[in-house]
Amino acid sequence: MPEKLVLQERPSNGILLLRLNRPDKLNALSKELLKELVDILHSAETDQGIGCVILTGNGRAFSAGADISDMLERGVDSYIDPDRLDRWRKIESFSKPIIAAVNGFALGGGLELALLCDIILASDGAKFAAPEIKIGSFPGDGGTQRLPRLVGRSFAMQMVLTGEMVDAAVAERKGLVSEVVKAEDLLSRCIELASSIASKSVAITPYAKRAVQAAYELPLAEGILEERRLTVEAFTTEDRMEGLRAFAEKRTPVFKGR
């Protein structure tokens, strides 16, 4: 049996830990790896026992980006491949919270994969870059659009036009990551954060995720309308009413995920 390209663990209740597993290739994002990742996320979507996903990489990289060998072989067809693009869309549309645990290099497509996650934590030795310009290209899987929304136009331009590495301290200062911790503490901190998220209603957290995403996808007035629509929709869930009853009765809510 070939070795799995994405390893799965359940480190604690409600948490799915996924490890990209091509360490000899710095976890380059081959079509096969993306397919395994999407298949796992598809199963996790409907598993009410999973409230939060942690995504990290084996070895010294989160991911060094696209599989260059495929680009050399197929040219632009490797980029516009419908299966590849569909897999990126499915990762983007995953409804449950995902925490990226950036344990090393997050370069090119690896950075773009991290940007699809909802929260990014980094080890103190992590490095970030959009190095595509160095090989006559530029980010093409959302990097030119998502990066400026996090770090601002000027610094995004600097990263994209120079391809230079950014260390974890700068990434935190610029808002690319929410926390930087020691390498040996990265997974334990992510598990702690994921446990807090997973203890909440798995019926409600997808609404909260979608509402926050609307903040940088829509103009303010439209975002507020979307927030209102999602709030009304969430009122139809059992967990929303259970939360209200528990507050009124001064007890801990018992969420059922529906």
Side-chain angles (χ1 to χ4, degrees), residues 77-95:
D77 288 341
S78 70
Y79 173 71
I80 62 173
D81 184 313
D83 290 336
R84 193 195 74 86
L85 294 174
D86 182 59
R87 287 161 193 164
W88 276 96
R89 281 191 294 269
K90 285 177 177 174
I91 298 168
E92 180 180 17
S93 63
F94 182 67
S95 68

Side-chain angles (χ1 to χ4, degrees), residues 202-218:
V202 297
I204 297 300
T205 50
Y207 286 109
K209 172 174 171 170
R210 284 158 59 192
V212 174
Q213 285 175 327
Y216 75 94
E217 293 173 353
L218 300 172

Side-chain angles (χ1 to χ4, degrees), residues 25 47 51 78 87 91 112 142-143 158 191 209 240 250:
K25 301 290 186 182
D47 186 341
S78 70
R87 287 161 193 164
I91 298 168
E112 290 174 306
Q158 181 176 325
I191 290 169
K209 172 174 171 170
R240 180 70 176 100
K250 296 181 172 57

Side-chain angles (χ1 to χ4, degrees), residues 26 30 33 44 48 55 61 83 88 95 98 102 112 139-140 148 165 168 171-172 178-179 191 207 217 222 232 249:
L26 296 181
S30 65
L33 183 149
Q48 290 198 345
L55 181 62
D83 290 336
W88 276 96
S95 68
I98 305 182
V102 178
E112 290 174 306
M165 290 273 193
E172 183 181 32
S178 58
E179 292 183 31
I191 290 169
Y207 286 109
E217 293 173 353
E222 291 179 32
V232 170
E249 296 166 9

Side-chain angles (χ1 to χ4, degrees), residues 33 39 107 111 212 219:
L33 183 149
D39 288 346
L107 313 178
L111 172 59
V212 174

Side-chain angles (χ1 to χ4, degrees), residues 107-212:
L107 313 178
L111 172 59
E112 290 174 306
L113 179 60
L115 291 173
L116 287 181
C117 298
D118 304 298
I119 300 169
I120 306 175
L121 269 65
S123 72
D124 52 6
K127 302 285 187 181
F128 301 83
E132 292 91 340
I133 198 74
K134 294 181 177 181
I135 57 169
S137 185
F138 55 89
D141 284 312
T144 64
Q145 304 305 299
R146 293 188 178 93
L147 194 58
R149 287 166 165 80
L150 291 179
V151 304
R153 176 181 177 275
S154 178
F155 194 66
M157 281 287 192
Q158 181 176 325
M159 288 184 68
V160 170
L161 296 179
T162 67
E164 293 174 352
M165 290 273 193
V166 172
D167 66 25
V170 172
E172 183 181 32
R173 190 166 72 246
K174 295 294 184 178
L176 178 55
V177 306
S178 58
E179 292 183 31
V180 175
V181 299
K182 292 180 180 178
E184 61 268 27
D185 297 331
L186 178 61
L187 279 183
S188 61
R189 174 56 183 145
C190 286
I191 290 169
E192 178 185 26
L193 190 59
S195 293
S196 176
I197 293 169
S199 69
K200 311 304 189 296
S201 164
V202 297
I204 297 300
T205 50
Y207 286 109
K209 172 174 171 170
R210 284 158 59 192
V212 174

